[in-house]
């Protein structure tokens, strides 16, 4: 987004169904949503703080939904040692929106005037304490002031949504980047579920030759039968780095299918391919249902919808998410790859299955580093 041309960014989004039936034991503005920008991406294995401000914690405590004495500083964005200087509300807390189709059809307008130039990841945030959830907008928004990329750090997004592969197959990590000429890509992986991410270098010094990339990842033998986190770093000649992560963790199944697994080979619904979710079409031949995401009116960001399948309780521990969040889409131009309607539908279906309610191009061969 070039602020010499425009400072307002309009983003379209959808909700899978309406959710407005607030009960007496909830906070008055429960079951609403808003949008937050972050100055960097994060792995799905690293959870964002579920509270935005201590004012929100106090509101939930007044309804006895959380014990504020059990909420640590790092569980609140405004006091988090990791995130407190890296989040920027797009929607004010006092302007949270009801979860309705009519509200989603308006889209959201983001005034970028006061932002530092750089790359931003946008999250939808559903407010329903004590269980609040994030829904990541696909891609990255690169806020610049003019065309000189030397004046701002690089940006990148991983747009592959497929959440499984086979141990003997290569896995396509697709994405896009904006960076100075001479920039390079590096690929990292880590087995999850070990108490923290131990990033291991898979390939490095891969030249950035245009705005899209496809990196071929052959899972190391020790990942068979495990779940893996992936990371792609783009580093420019000024040694500025931006890290991008897939919207899903990767399950590595034993054996092989005899080819490459990717969003394309997985069929019409790649994110749900592992659980066999069927393709659904409406009467006009398109996928989706009322409230599905539509195309953004600006050329800013990329990819496929994300979900947070687990969230956290008031003390910061994870548990299944309780409510639905907004699904955002991206434009097809600039640093971007299309988000398909079928992928959006897959996210809706999987979120509904996991929901616990309290109440009613260019291929690049990456050489594995020994």
């Amino acid at each position: 987004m070039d602020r010499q041309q425009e400072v307002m960014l309009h983003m379209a989004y959808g909700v899978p169904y309406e959710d407005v039936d607030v009960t007496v034991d909830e906070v008055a503005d429960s079951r609403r949503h808003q949008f937050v920008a972050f100055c960097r991406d994060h792995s799905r294995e690293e959870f964002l703080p579920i509270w935005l401000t201590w004012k929100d914690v106090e509101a939930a405590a007044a309804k006895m939904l959380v014990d504020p004495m059990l909420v640590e500083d790092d569980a609140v964005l405004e006091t988090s040692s990791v995130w407190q200087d890296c989040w920027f509300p797009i929607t004010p807390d006092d302007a949270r929106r009801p979860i309705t189709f009519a509200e989603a059809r308006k889209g959201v307008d983001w005034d970028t005037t006061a932002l530092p130039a750089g790359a931003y990841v946008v999250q939808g945030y559903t407010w329903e304490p004590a269980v609040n959830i994030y829904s990541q907008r696909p891609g990255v928004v690169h806020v610049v002031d003019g065309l000189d990329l030397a004046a701002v750090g690089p940006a990148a997004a991983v747009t592959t949504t497929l959440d499984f592969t086979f141990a003997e197959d290569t896995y396509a990590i697709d994405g896009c980047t904006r960076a100075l000429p001479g920039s390079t890509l590096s690929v990292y992986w880590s087995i999850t579920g070990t108490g923290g991410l131990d990033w291991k270098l898979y390939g490095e010094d891969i030249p950035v030759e245009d705005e899209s990339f496809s990196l071929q990842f052959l899972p190391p033998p020790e990942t068979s039968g495990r779940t893996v986190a992936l990371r792609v770093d783009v580093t420019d000649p000024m040694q500025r780095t931006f890290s991008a992560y897939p919207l899903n963790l990767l399950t590595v199944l034993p054996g092989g299918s005899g080819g490459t697994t990717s969003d394309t080979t997985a069929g019409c619904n790649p994110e749900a391919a592992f659980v066999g979710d069927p393709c659904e079409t409406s009467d006009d031949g398109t996928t989706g249902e009322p409230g599905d995401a539509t195309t953004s009116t600006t050329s800013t960001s990329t990819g496929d919808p994300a979900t947070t399948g687990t969230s956290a309780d008031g003390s910061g521990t994870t548990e299944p998410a309780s409510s639905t969040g907004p699904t955002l889409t991206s434009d097809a131009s600039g640093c971007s790859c299309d988000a398909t309607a079928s992928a959006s539908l897959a996210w809706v279906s999987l979120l509904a299955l996991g929901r616990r309610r309290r109440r009613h191009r260019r291929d690049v061969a990456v050489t594995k580093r020994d």
Side-chain angles (χ1 to χ4, degrees), residues 284-367:
D284 63 1
T286 59
T287 57
E289 52 187 294
D292 272 356
T294 57
T295 303
S296 171
T297 60
T298 59
S299 54
T300 55
S301 31
T302 70
D304 299 285
T307 178
T308 305
T310 60
S311 186
D313 61 21
S315 62
T317 58
T318 59
E319 61 179 68
S322 70
S323 185
T324 181
T327 308
L328 294 94
T329 58
S330 62
D331 191 39
S333 59
C335 177
S336 65
C337 300
D338 285 339
T340 63
S342 58
S344 177
L345 182 61
W347 176 79
V348 171
S349 302
L350 291 174
L351 183 60
L353 287 172
R355 188 174 184 233
R356 180 185 66 84
R357 294 312 307 257
R358 298 191 305 274
R359 296 161 288 275
H360 157 73
R361 160 178 234 250
R362 179 184 170 90
D363 286 355
V364 179
V366 183
T367 303

Side-chain angles (χ1 to χ4, degrees), residues 20-351:
V20 295
D21 297 327
V22 178
T23 56
V24 295
D25 55 333
E26 297 180 70
V27 296
D29 61 344
S30 183
R31 309 195 194 196
R32 289 179 174 253
H33 65 283
Q34 66 187 105
F35 300 91
V36 182
F38 291 86
C39 71
R40 58 180 175 271
D41 200 356
H42 73 288
S43 169
R44 298 325 100 176
E45 187 74 356
E46 300 168 320
F47 294 97
L48 293 169
I50 66 164
W51 304 98
L52 301 188
T53 65
W54 281 97
K55 181 180 178 181
D56 286 346
V57 176
E58 293 166 1
K63 283 287 188 175
M64 301 183 67
L65 298 172
V66 64
D67 182 350
M69 299 301 294
L70 298 179
V71 179
E72 299 180 354
D73 284 347
D74 277 349
V76 183
L77 273 178
E78 68 178 355
T79 54
S80 167
S81 60
V82 176
W83 295 101
Q84 63 179 340
D85 297 322
C86 189
W87 69 289
F88 303 86
I90 297 173
T91 312
D93 296 349
D94 58 2
R96 287 173 173 148
R97 301 171 162 209
I99 302 173
T100 65
F101 298 143
E103 198 67 33
R105 279 193 293 268
K106 298 176 184 177
V108 60
D109 293 312
W110 181 15
D111 185 350
T112 66
T113 303
L115 285 177
Y120 293 89
V121 173
V122 176
Q123 296 272 359
Y125 178 77
T126 300
W127 166 246
E128 189 187 348
V131 182
N132 310 306
I133 63 171
Y134 291 91
S135 307
Q136 182 163 327
R137 184 182 199 269
V140 63
V141 179
H142 204 201
V143 178
V144 300
D145 298 304
L147 300 179
D148 183 11
L149 289 177
V152 63
V158 174
T159 57
T160 300
T161 59
L162 185 65
D163 61 359
F164 79 97
T165 189
F166 292 92
E168 298 172 8
D169 294 352
T170 56
Y171 175 80
I173 308 173
D174 298 326
C176 66
T177 184
R178 287 189 81 236
L180 280 170
S183 297
T184 59
L185 301 172
S186 299
V187 179
Y188 296 83
W189 64 276
S190 174
I191 291 175
T192 65
T194 60
L197 293 175
D198 180 20
W199 292 111
K200 294 178 171 57
L201 181 64
Y202 182 84
E204 63 182 338
D205 297 330
I206 304 159
V208 173
E209 299 186 5
D210 54 37
E211 288 195 341
S212 64
F213 60 80
S214 185
L215 309 173
Q216 307 305 306
F217 174 77
L218 180 63
E222 61 266 39
T223 66
S224 180
R226 307 294 295 272
T227 299
V228 174
L230 296 172
R231 186 181 104 209
V232 176
D233 286 1
V234 55
T235 302
D236 69 15
M238 300 173 66
Q239 298 305 303
R240 298 174 298 186
T241 297
F242 186 86
S243 298
Y245 304 83
L247 296 173
N248 296 303
L249 299 175
L250 179 66
T251 298
V252 180
L253 304 175
S257 67
T260 296
T261 49
S262 67
D263 281 355
T264 302
T265 60
C268 70
N269 208 342
E271 191 173 359
F274 185 48
V275 296
D277 189 53
C279 303
E280 298 183 26
T281 57
S282 62
D283 292 339
D284 63 1
T286 59
T287 57
E289 52 187 294
D292 272 356
T294 57
T295 303
S296 171
T297 60
T298 59
S299 54
T300 55
S301 31
T302 70
D304 299 285
T307 178
T308 305
T310 60
S311 186
D313 61 21
S315 62
T317 58
T318 59
E319 61 179 68
S322 70
S323 185
T324 181
T327 308
L328 294 94
T329 58
S330 62
D331 191 39
S333 59
C335 177
S336 65
C337 300
D338 285 339
T340 63
S342 58
S344 177
L345 182 61
W347 176 79
V348 171
S349 302
L350 291 174
L351 183 60

